[in-house]
Amino acid sequence: MSVTERQQAVRIEGLTVAYRRRGQLLRVLDDVSFSIGAGEAYGLVGESGCGKTTVAMSLMRYLPDNAVVESGRVMFGDEDVLTASATTLSGWRGDRMAMVYQDPGTALNPSIKVGEQIAEVYRFHKGMNRSDALAAAVHMLETVQISAPDRVVRRYPHELSGGQQQRIMFAMALATDPDLLVLDEPTTGLDATVEAEVLDLVEQLRTQFDASILFVSHNLGIVSRMCERVGVLYAGRLIEEGPAIDLFREPRHPYTLALLRCMPRMGMRKDVDRLDPIPGSLPPIGVDIAGCVYADRCPIARDRCRAEPPPIEPIAPGHGARCFYHEEVPGIPVLTRPPDEAAAATADGVLLKVDDLVKAYGSAGNQVFAVAGVDIEVGRGEVLGLVGESGSGKTSLAKCIVGLLDPSGGAIEFDAADVTSHRRGREARRRLQMVFQNPDNALNPSHSVRTILRRSLQLLAGVRGKDRQDALMDDLARSVRLEPRHLDVRPSALSGGLKQRVAIARSFAGSPSLVLCDEPTSALDVSVQAAILNLLVDLQRREGVSYVFISHDLAVVRYVSDRIAVMYLGQIVDVGPADAVFEAPHHPYTEALLSAIPTLEPGGKARMKLHGTLPSPSDPPSGCRFHTRCPRFLGDVCVNEEPPWQSTTDGERYRCHIPPEELARLQAEAEPTAREPDPAP
Amino acid sequence: MSAVDEPSVAGEFPDGAAAQVDVRRLRRQRRAELFAALRTSKTFLVGMLILIFWVVSALGWRWLVRSPQAVDTAATLASPSADHWFGTDNLGRDVFARVIAGAAPVLTVAPLATLLGLAGGTTLGLVTGYYRGWIDDIFSRIVDALLAFPLIILSVLVLASLGRSPRNVILVIGIIFTPLIARTVRSAVLVEREREYVAAARLRGERGPRIMVAEILPNITAPILVEATIRLGYAIFAAATLAFLGLGIQDPSPDWGLAIANGRAYLQIAWWMVLFPAAALATLVVGVNLVADGLRRAIEE
């Protein structure tokens, strides 16, 4: 898959970019070179802060004002984008090169109808008149598979769902049939099922348009699926590049290998496998590093690595890695030991019992039911995974349980005591805690870590007196692997992973019995996620605590959970032991969620499509709430009758009109109808 | 941009020496950044210069200029000259001395009134923003009603009934400022209260007053500080207006508003009696606004 000189659509040569900040130049890209062939999709992966977006912006010359290109060229055809005149550039942008951004909600103008926004591209670049341009826009919307395009053109962006908005963005980007399409994390803000749809769309569009694509993402799975070649960025340097399959099957840079190893893969379980996190963290932006940028975190680094920067060592045609010792990489052992045998928590007795819980927002007559009758039980020492798209009511449910919201109906029983209201005693509060999604938000920026933990010890553990608090604080900090030096700083001085450790320590201050973890790792980079998941699993085993673990990442949920509940529009539709839920027969919605996971294995199985978008919880569909999108829709019975609970032989219960035996048969049939032939092994 | 190493899960920490330095440096840097931004802001520096000039005048006029009350009967309504730089007024008092000394009453009344409004407004804003509900509804209606009412008429009414004294001027301006500042504080609180650290505080059982004062207040000092400097500018203007109307500070104080009011009758023959106090007032208000503007921009950065 080597790209010859002639076929190159874009060539980046030695790109070095710095940002000026308070008179200092902080280098974010250092000598980055790669090329994208005509019609090729090139994936650029890396963690936050590694310079991915700066590369994408350089390609379009959309760099912010304080960016300084220190050296390098971005060759588009035979002209340098970085030195092209403003008129040339504005002719190119939107015509020969186009970009799709991460957040379609802010990239579209909220006060102009989407049809006109697309038509504008035709009018500006193709010189069409108003009505022709609008007709072309409608046609383009058909191409990006929007249903009823002639109605959608008259809508404003806020009237469309996130997935539809992103389709509009694609329509605008592709309107002029560009030579280069830059996709900057195009699916990051979207739900898993919508993300899968958008990715399918990109794949289909690639057969119709022959644009070269730069696909920027932090998600290795997506990139491996979408791209032919992949580059891995680390601290502003391209550290490995090669064909997607080679790179993921046999990575030759220690960082690429570590990235692949630290992600929980589907089917990994906490009691069998341990995640392998990357020690250390990214070097701060703008720091001058003499040798290899990864040397500090690398298990095979030697003195030479710290002294001189490694060149790109060729491995195979088109595959290279910036590592002196790349031959040793496949032999790097897994860092962490398997989990301890001891203290395998067993569930005995029910700890939390939620009975027909309802949470409605708004006033009478105009109510939105975020939680519409949920029954769940959590056993002692058990981890219940809670899965569902955004808007399914997961967080509202968690907040009711923990006492941040008062439910509108139903009952919550915790260890045989009623905790339905948020007015509960200290004891209940101590034993029921929560870890929030975003540690930046969840820690008071004005307080030092010590103050944060001291307050929790005082109020939750009831420890008075500074000396006793300090003594306990050291233990608490050690239990989440914080060092004493981390105690006296404010949260802003800590990395995301360390912040989340502080948040976890805080919730464990009073030795809780049940901790609600609301997407505790989704704001973190994958390399940090592994360490936090390991910590949560360790704590759970040691303290025998129960979790309700909310996440949109099914692999993560499966890894940590003993049982899993799937939520859809405020109701539980599928619940049971983790393995049972993930295996057929399961609720068609669970099936769709599972099918939406982008895998690292190239050439996976056919994706199951969900029709339409999540209906509004203010006006839920009749009968089965899922019938409007269900791929296994039966007919009137789904529209008119609420589905019964069905039980499978492996202890799973789901809400559907299709009985388990038949569902098992249907779902077995739907197995691999391969989308394309498997690439060479 | 993480500054600290992530400890490895096996519990072995990577060498922390370098990271330690990083943490300290970052903390210092954060604090220094605001000052650095202010030092390079021309707006802020010019405003500060003007403000310092008037503060020095207000504190040191006793030693800097001749007595503002000294009457030179030989030279009434004298035009500006080497002896009387800004001329003299109808009683033969030196206008320059009175302008310099006139900073004192203004810079007493206005900051105290602002402080009063700040104290009341912050308390009210925290309570209404944090608790919402009926407290908030009632407060909002009162503010709406108050804002529909010309403020100057309100103060005239109050001062007419309470009596004219600097103390009452401070009280009136402070009370009028309270709901205005409260609105700004309230909107900042509304943003902060939705952040998860507030939820976390409630989860560990903190009480409302403590959440407001210890959790939320430290995180909204920036908008409060900016609001306070903006209000100070208004307070100076309001104090001068009330003095001009004869409702505030009384003769023989060298207050600028008063001086402008007195000079009005002589405008045809002695323009200096009005021009110089008016110019002084204008520079002070502009200076305070420049400081407010510079501060706001530095904080927003």
Side-chain angles (χ1 to χ4, degrees), chain A residues 85-106:
Chain A
S85 71
T87 33
T88 317
L89 205 63
S90 71
W92 283 355
R93 288 178 185 158
D95 188 16
R96 293 184 57 203
M97 40 167 66
M99 187 157 179
V100 174
Y101 301 89
Q102 179 169 347
D103 186 357
T106 57

Side-chain angles (χ1 to χ4, degrees), chain A residues 205-346:
Chain A
L205 290 174
R206 284 195 62 196
T207 62
Q208 298 172 43
F209 296 86
D210 53 1
S212 306
I213 294 177
L214 177 71
F215 198 111
V216 175
S217 178
H218 68 281
N219 190 320
L220 293 167
I222 291 176
V223 164
S224 79
R225 197 190 129 196
M226 304 304 298
C227 303
E228 281 102 48
R229 288 197 306 134
V230 174
V232 181
L233 268 182
Y234 182 79
R237 249 168 262 209
L238 197 66
I239 51 126
E240 184 164 7
E241 186 191 41
I245 299 165
D246 293 5
L247 206 77
F248 292 114
R249 293 235 167 110
E250 205 196 335
R252 283 301 193 92
H253 193 284
Y255 176 66
T256 319
L257 178 83
L259 263 189
L260 288 167
R261 279 193 181 162
C262 70
M263 288 200 305
R265 281 175 299 282
M266 210 54 202
M268 278 176 80
R269 304 274 304 125
K270 65 178 171 192
D271 30 9
V272 185
D273 311 287
R274 213 176 150 81
L275 302 173
D276 205 7
I278 307 178
S281 63
L282 273 172
I285 289 167
V287 162
D288 229 6
I289 297 167
C292 171
V293 281
Y294 189 63
D296 276 351
R297 304 171 78 181
C298 182
I300 57 168
R302 304 175 200 172
D303 289 345
R304 184 182 176 199
C305 302
R306 298 197 175 83
E308 54 177 308
I312 293 195
E313 305 269 359
I315 290 151
H319 186 185
R322 250 180 221 284
C323 182
F324 292 121
Y325 307 106
H326 63 89
E327 277 152 1
E328 298 172 22
V329 170
I332 294 177
V334 172
L335 262 178
T336 51
R337 52 194 160 58
D340 305 332
E341 297 295 314
T346 47

Side-chain angles (χ1 to χ4, degrees), chain A residues 312-616:
Chain A
I312 293 195
E313 305 269 359
I315 290 151
H319 186 185
R322 250 180 221 284
C323 182
F324 292 121
Y325 307 106
H326 63 89
E327 277 152 1
E328 298 172 22
V329 170
I332 294 177
V334 172
L335 262 178
T336 51
R337 52 194 160 58
D340 305 332
E341 297 295 314
T346 47
D348 52 341
V350 176
L351 181 66
L352 177 82
K353 195 164 181 297
V354 174
D355 191 20
D356 195 24
L357 192 81
V358 176
K359 176 65 196 173
Y361 295 99
S363 50
N366 184 28
Q367 283 189 321
V368 177
F369 288 90
V371 181
V374 163
D375 303 286
I376 50 166
E377 285 182 359
V378 183
R380 280 172 215 282
E382 183 186 62
V383 179
L384 176 77
L386 197 56
V387 182
E389 288 171 281
S390 56
S392 62
K394 306 182 298 272
T395 299
S396 290
L397 174 61
K399 284 188 170 174
C400 284
I401 294 173
V402 92
L404 285 172
L405 287 176
D406 270 338
S408 319
I412 307 169
E413 209 175 90
F414 178 68
D415 213 5
D418 178 67
V419 290
T420 309
S421 152
H422 78 277
R423 294 178 198 284
R424 46 184 79 176
R426 202 190 84 193
E427 186 59 12
R429 222 183 286 117
R430 168 185 80 76
R431 296 185 56 195
L432 249 171
Q433 280 292 309
M434 182 156 175
V435 174
F436 296 90
Q437 173 171 2
N438 191 342
D440 294 329
N441 231 336
L443 301 178
N444 193 329
S446 309
H447 292 175
S448 72
V449 172
R450 192 178 287 280
T451 313
I452 291 169
L453 295 184
R454 169 166 295 139
R455 264 328 265 187
S456 293
L457 282 170
Q458 188 175 330
L459 288 170
L460 295 174
V463 180
R464 310 223 162 256
K466 208 162 170 290
D467 294 344
R468 288 186 54 211
Q469 284 171 357
D470 280 337
L472 280 171
M473 192 166 337
D474 287 344
D475 288 344
L476 189 61
R478 210 170 300 128
S479 72
V480 296
R481 301 194 182 90
L482 281 171
E483 289 177 74
R485 68 188 164 95
H486 295 139
L487 289 176
D488 291 307
V489 297
R490 295 206 181 157
S492 58
L494 300 176
S495 67
L498 287 172
K499 276 182 221 168
Q500 197 59 299
R501 281 170 202 270
V502 175
I504 292 170
R506 173 176 64 190
S507 58
F508 274 86
S511 313
S513 314
L514 176 67
V515 177
L516 285 101
C517 303
D518 187 5
E519 305 255 12
T521 60
S522 63
L524 307 174
D525 273 317
V526 275
S527 68
V528 181
Q529 166 176 293
I532 295 295
L533 288 177
N534 280 345
L535 172 66
L536 284 170
V537 167
D538 284 349
L539 282 171
Q540 192 246 331
R541 289 163 159 277
R542 200 184 322 141
E543 316 262 325
V545 53
S546 305
Y547 290 150
V548 172
F549 194 98
I550 300 175
S551 178
H552 66 279
D553 186 329
L554 295 178
V556 168
V557 169
R558 186 174 194 183
Y559 177 74
V560 298
S561 307
D562 302 308
R563 285 192 322 135
I564 288 174
V566 182
M567 254 185 121
Y568 185 78
L569 274 185
Q571 291 185 336
I572 304 279
V573 295
D574 200 348
V575 60
D579 291 333
V581 169
F582 276 71
E583 269 154 36
H586 40 214
H587 193 278
Y589 179 59
T590 313
E591 188 185 359
L593 283 180
L594 283 169
S595 145
I597 302 172
T599 58
L600 277 178
E601 302 304 318
K605 58 182 168 182
R607 189 173 309 286
M608 182 167 172
K609 290 248 166 55
L610 281 189
H611 310 289
T613 55
L614 192 71
S616 161

Side-chain angles (χ1 to χ4, degrees), chain B residues 172-216:
Chain B
V172 163
I173 297 176
I175 289 168
I176 289 173
F177 277 6
T178 296
L180 297 172
I181 293 174
R183 257 200 333 190
T184 307
V185 175
R186 175 179 169 271
S187 62
V189 173
L190 287 183
V191 175
E192 286 305 308
R193 80 192 284 275
E194 297 306 324
R195 300 185 57 180
E196 285 168 343
Y197 70 80
V198 175
R202 280 168 58 201
L203 270 190
R204 65 171 182 258
E206 300 278 13
R207 305 207 175 279
R210 196 188 147 97
I211 293 181
M212 284 186 269
V213 175
E215 300 282 333
I216 295 178

Side-chain angles (χ1 to χ4, degrees), chain A residues 143-161:
Chain A
T143 313
V144 297
Q145 296 164 15
I146 280 191
S147 48
D150 40 346
R151 268 190 294 135
V152 170
V153 287
R154 290 197 300 272
R155 299 256 172 88
Y156 289 97
H158 74 265
E159 297 174 288
L160 303 173
S161 70

